[in-house]
Short mmCIF file of all heavy atoms in Angstrom, two decimals:
data_model
loop_
_atom_site.label_atom_id
_atom_site.label_comp_id
_atom_site.label_asym_id
_atom_site.label_seq_id
_atom_site.Cartn_x
_atom_site.Cartn_y
_atom_site.Cartn_z
N ALA A 14 105.45 79.46 72.09
CA ALA A 14 105.65 79.04 73.47
C ALA A 14 104.94 79.97 74.43
O ALA A 14 104.34 79.55 75.41
CB ALA A 14 107.14 78.98 73.80
N ILE A 15 105.00 81.26 74.15
CA ILE A 15 104.37 82.23 75.04
C ILE A 15 102.86 82.25 74.85
O ILE A 15 102.10 82.29 75.81
CB ILE A 15 104.95 83.64 74.79
CG1 ILE A 15 106.41 83.68 75.23
CG2 ILE A 15 104.17 84.71 75.55
CD1 ILE A 15 107.11 84.97 74.92
N ALA A 16 102.42 82.19 73.59
CA ALA A 16 101.00 82.34 73.31
C ALA A 16 100.19 81.11 73.67
O ALA A 16 99.08 81.23 74.18
CB ALA A 16 100.79 82.67 71.83
N SER A 17 100.75 79.91 73.42
CA SER A 17 99.95 78.72 73.67
C SER A 17 100.59 77.75 74.65
O SER A 17 99.90 76.99 75.31
CB SER A 17 99.70 77.98 72.34
OG SER A 17 100.93 77.62 71.74
N GLY A 18 101.90 77.78 74.77
CA GLY A 18 102.58 76.85 75.66
C GLY A 18 102.45 77.21 77.12
O GLY A 18 102.71 76.40 77.99
N ARG A 19 102.07 78.47 77.43
CA ARG A 19 101.91 78.90 78.81
C ARG A 19 100.50 79.47 78.98
O ARG A 19 100.31 80.65 79.20
CB ARG A 19 102.95 79.97 79.16
CG ARG A 19 104.38 79.46 79.15
CD ARG A 19 105.34 80.57 79.50
NE ARG A 19 106.71 80.11 79.56
CZ ARG A 19 107.76 80.90 79.80
NH1 ARG A 19 107.57 82.18 80.02
NH2 ARG A 19 108.98 80.42 79.83
N ALA A 20 99.56 78.60 78.87
CA ALA A 20 98.16 79.03 78.94
C ALA A 20 97.85 79.69 80.28
O ALA A 20 97.09 80.66 80.34
CB ALA A 20 97.24 77.83 78.72
N ASP A 21 98.45 79.20 81.36
CA ASP A 21 98.19 79.78 82.68
C ASP A 21 98.70 81.21 82.74
O ASP A 21 98.03 82.09 83.30
CB ASP A 21 98.88 78.94 83.77
CG ASP A 21 98.22 77.59 83.94
OD1 ASP A 21 97.08 77.43 83.47
OD2 ASP A 21 98.85 76.69 84.53
N ASP A 22 99.89 81.46 82.17
CA ASP A 22 100.43 82.82 82.15
C ASP A 22 99.53 83.76 81.36
O ASP A 22 99.31 84.90 81.76
CB ASP A 22 101.83 82.83 81.54
CG ASP A 22 102.90 82.39 82.54
OD1 ASP A 22 102.56 82.22 83.73
OD2 ASP A 22 104.06 82.22 82.14
N VAL A 23 99.04 83.29 80.24
CA VAL A 23 98.17 84.12 79.40
C VAL A 23 96.89 84.47 80.16
O VAL A 23 96.44 85.62 80.16
CB VAL A 23 97.84 83.42 78.07
CG1 VAL A 23 96.80 84.22 77.28
CG2 VAL A 23 99.11 83.24 77.24
N ALA A 24 96.31 83.49 80.82
CA ALA A 24 95.07 83.72 81.57
C ALA A 24 95.29 84.69 82.72
O ALA A 24 94.49 85.61 82.93
CB ALA A 24 94.51 82.39 82.08
N GLU A 25 96.37 84.48 83.47
CA GLU A 25 96.67 85.38 84.58
C GLU A 25 97.03 86.77 84.08
O GLU A 25 96.68 87.78 84.68
CB GLU A 25 97.81 84.81 85.43
CG GLU A 25 97.45 83.55 86.20
CD GLU A 25 96.30 83.79 87.18
OE1 GLU A 25 96.32 84.84 87.86
OE2 GLU A 25 95.41 82.93 87.24
N GLY A 26 97.74 86.81 82.96
CA GLY A 26 98.10 88.09 82.37
C GLY A 26 96.90 88.88 81.92
O GLY A 26 96.87 90.12 82.04
N LYS A 27 95.89 88.20 81.42
CA LYS A 27 94.67 88.88 81.01
C LYS A 27 93.98 89.53 82.20
O LYS A 27 93.48 90.66 82.12
CB LYS A 27 93.72 87.90 80.33
CG LYS A 27 92.45 88.55 79.78
CD LYS A 27 91.60 87.56 79.02
CE LYS A 27 90.37 88.26 78.43
NZ LYS A 27 89.53 87.32 77.65
N LYS A 28 93.96 88.83 83.33
CA LYS A 28 93.37 89.39 84.55
C LYS A 28 94.12 90.65 84.98
O LYS A 28 93.51 91.67 85.33
CB LYS A 28 93.39 88.36 85.68
CG LYS A 28 92.51 87.14 85.44
CD LYS A 28 92.65 86.15 86.59
CE LYS A 28 91.85 84.89 86.34
NZ LYS A 28 92.03 83.89 87.44
N LEU A 29 95.46 90.57 84.97
CA LEU A 29 96.27 91.73 85.34
C LEU A 29 96.02 92.90 84.39
O LEU A 29 95.93 94.05 84.82
CB LEU A 29 97.75 91.36 85.31
CG LEU A 29 98.27 90.46 86.42
CD1 LEU A 29 99.66 89.94 86.09
CD2 LEU A 29 98.29 91.22 87.75
N PHE A 30 95.90 92.59 83.11
CA PHE A 30 95.67 93.63 82.11
C PHE A 30 94.34 94.33 82.38
O PHE A 30 94.25 95.57 82.34
CB PHE A 30 95.67 93.02 80.71
CG PHE A 30 95.46 94.03 79.62
CD1 PHE A 30 96.53 94.73 79.10
CD2 PHE A 30 94.19 94.30 79.14
CE1 PHE A 30 96.33 95.68 78.10
CE2 PHE A 30 93.98 95.24 78.16
CZ PHE A 30 95.06 95.94 77.63
N GLN A 31 93.30 93.56 82.63
CA GLN A 31 91.98 94.14 82.86
C GLN A 31 91.96 94.99 84.13
O GLN A 31 91.25 96.00 84.20
CB GLN A 31 90.94 93.04 82.93
CG GLN A 31 90.71 92.34 81.59
CD GLN A 31 89.78 91.15 81.68
OE1 GLN A 31 89.57 90.59 82.76
NE2 GLN A 31 89.24 90.73 80.55
N GLN A 32 92.75 94.61 85.13
CA GLN A 32 92.79 95.35 86.38
C GLN A 32 93.63 96.64 86.29
O GLN A 32 93.24 97.66 86.85
CB GLN A 32 93.38 94.47 87.48
CG GLN A 32 92.52 93.28 87.86
CD GLN A 32 93.25 92.31 88.78
OE1 GLN A 32 94.39 92.53 89.16
NE2 GLN A 32 92.59 91.21 89.12
N SER A 33 94.73 96.59 85.58
CA SER A 33 95.69 97.69 85.64
C SER A 33 95.95 98.43 84.34
O SER A 33 96.57 99.50 84.36
CB SER A 33 97.04 97.16 86.17
OG SER A 33 96.88 96.52 87.41
N CYS A 34 95.50 97.89 83.21
CA CYS A 34 95.87 98.48 81.92
C CYS A 34 94.67 98.84 81.03
O CYS A 34 94.80 99.70 80.15
CB CYS A 34 96.77 97.53 81.14
SG CYS A 34 98.15 96.85 82.09
N ALA A 35 93.54 98.15 81.24
CA ALA A 35 92.40 98.31 80.32
C ALA A 35 91.81 99.71 80.32
O ALA A 35 91.24 100.14 79.32
CB ALA A 35 91.31 97.28 80.66
N SER A 36 91.96 100.44 81.43
CA SER A 36 91.38 101.79 81.50
C SER A 36 91.98 102.73 80.46
O SER A 36 91.34 103.71 80.06
CB SER A 36 91.55 102.37 82.90
OG SER A 36 92.93 102.44 83.24
N CYS A 37 93.21 102.46 80.04
CA CYS A 37 93.87 103.30 79.02
C CYS A 37 93.97 102.60 77.67
O CYS A 37 93.89 103.25 76.62
CB CYS A 37 95.27 103.71 79.47
SG CYS A 37 95.30 104.88 80.85
N HIS A 38 94.17 101.27 77.70
CA HIS A 38 94.40 100.55 76.45
C HIS A 38 93.19 99.78 75.94
O HIS A 38 93.30 99.13 74.89
CB HIS A 38 95.58 99.58 76.64
CG HIS A 38 96.89 100.26 76.88
ND1 HIS A 38 97.59 100.92 75.89
CD2 HIS A 38 97.61 100.43 78.02
CE1 HIS A 38 98.70 101.44 76.41
NE2 HIS A 38 98.73 101.16 77.70
N GLY A 39 92.06 99.86 76.65
CA GLY A 39 90.87 99.16 76.20
C GLY A 39 90.80 97.74 76.71
O GLY A 39 91.83 97.11 76.99
N LEU A 40 89.59 97.21 76.83
CA LEU A 40 89.40 95.88 77.39
C LEU A 40 90.08 94.80 76.56
O LEU A 40 90.49 93.77 77.09
CB LEU A 40 87.89 95.57 77.51
CG LEU A 40 87.15 96.33 78.62
CD1 LEU A 40 85.66 96.04 78.55
CD2 LEU A 40 87.70 95.93 79.99
N ASN A 41 90.17 95.01 75.26
CA ASN A 41 90.80 94.03 74.38
C ASN A 41 92.14 94.54 73.84
O ASN A 41 92.60 94.07 72.80
CB ASN A 41 89.86 93.68 73.23
CG ASN A 41 88.57 93.05 73.71
OD1 ASN A 41 88.59 92.09 74.47
ND2 ASN A 41 87.44 93.60 73.29
N ALA A 42 92.73 95.50 74.53
CA ALA A 42 94.02 96.09 74.14
C ALA A 42 93.96 96.75 72.77
O ALA A 42 94.97 96.89 72.09
CB ALA A 42 95.12 95.03 74.16
N GLU A 43 92.74 97.18 72.38
CA GLU A 43 92.58 97.82 71.08
C GLU A 43 92.95 99.29 71.10
O GLU A 43 93.02 99.96 70.07
CB GLU A 43 91.13 97.67 70.59
CG GLU A 43 90.10 98.52 71.33
CD GLU A 43 89.62 97.94 72.65
OE1 GLU A 43 90.28 97.01 73.16
OE2 GLU A 43 88.58 98.40 73.16
N GLY A 44 93.21 99.82 72.31
CA GLY A 44 93.59 101.22 72.45
C GLY A 44 92.39 102.13 72.65
O GLY A 44 91.27 101.80 72.25
N ILE A 45 92.62 103.26 73.31
CA ILE A 45 91.58 104.27 73.51
C ILE A 45 92.17 105.60 73.06
O ILE A 45 93.21 106.03 73.57
CB ILE A 45 91.14 104.34 74.98
CG1 ILE A 45 90.55 103.01 75.42
CG2 ILE A 45 90.15 105.49 75.19
CD1 ILE A 45 90.16 102.97 76.89
N GLN A 46 91.53 106.25 72.13
CA GLN A 46 92.05 107.50 71.58
C GLN A 46 92.24 108.55 72.67
O GLN A 46 91.36 108.79 73.48
CB GLN A 46 91.10 108.04 70.50
CG GLN A 46 91.66 109.23 69.75
CD GLN A 46 90.77 109.65 68.59
OE1 GLN A 46 89.70 109.07 68.38
NE2 GLN A 46 91.21 110.63 67.83
N GLY A 47 93.42 109.15 72.68
CA GLY A 47 93.73 110.17 73.66
C GLY A 47 94.18 109.64 75.00
O GLY A 47 94.57 110.43 75.88
N ARG A 48 94.19 108.32 75.16
CA ARG A 48 94.58 107.75 76.45
C ARG A 48 95.70 106.72 76.32
O ARG A 48 96.68 106.77 77.07
CB ARG A 48 93.37 107.13 77.15
CG ARG A 48 92.25 108.13 77.40
CD ARG A 48 91.11 107.52 78.16
NE ARG A 48 91.45 107.23 79.54
CZ ARG A 48 90.58 106.75 80.43
NH1 ARG A 48 89.32 106.50 80.08
NH2 ARG A 48 90.96 106.51 81.66
N GLY A 49 95.56 105.80 75.39
CA GLY A 49 96.59 104.79 75.22
C GLY A 49 96.49 104.11 73.87
O GLY A 49 95.38 103.90 73.37
N PRO A 50 97.62 103.72 73.27
CA PRO A 50 97.61 103.07 71.95
C PRO A 50 97.22 101.61 72.03
O PRO A 50 97.19 101.01 73.11
CB PRO A 50 99.06 103.22 71.49
CG PRO A 50 99.84 103.18 72.78
CD PRO A 50 98.99 103.91 73.78
N THR A 51 96.93 101.02 70.89
CA THR A 51 96.68 99.58 70.85
C THR A 51 97.95 98.83 71.19
O THR A 51 99.06 99.27 70.90
CB THR A 51 96.19 99.16 69.45
OG1 THR A 51 96.02 97.73 69.42
CG2 THR A 51 97.17 99.55 68.37
N LEU A 52 97.78 97.68 71.84
CA LEU A 52 98.92 96.84 72.20
C LEU A 52 98.98 95.57 71.36
O LEU A 52 99.82 94.72 71.60
CB LEU A 52 98.86 96.48 73.68
CG LEU A 52 98.92 97.65 74.66
CD1 LEU A 52 98.92 97.14 76.09
CD2 LEU A 52 100.13 98.53 74.40
#
């Protein structure tokens, strides 16, 4: 339901992630050593 049933939420969430979280967790949430773990 979360992954596919709310496509709009996923798309908006990706934008928020890239704006506020990617600097530590990586553009694809793969994590950055010494800054943030993979999500």
Side-chain angles (χ1 to χ4, degrees):
I15 292 175
S17 59
R19 295 180 177 178
D21 291 343
D22 279 353
V23 173
E25 291 300 317
K27 184 175 183 179
K28 295 178 183 177
L29 288 167
F30 181 86
Q31 292 174 340
Q32 293 170 2
S33 304
C34 312
S36 59
C37 290
H38 295 286
L40 288 175
N41 298 308
E43 72 279 15
I45 298 177
Q46 188 173 3
R48 301 184 70 177
T51 177
L52 298 183

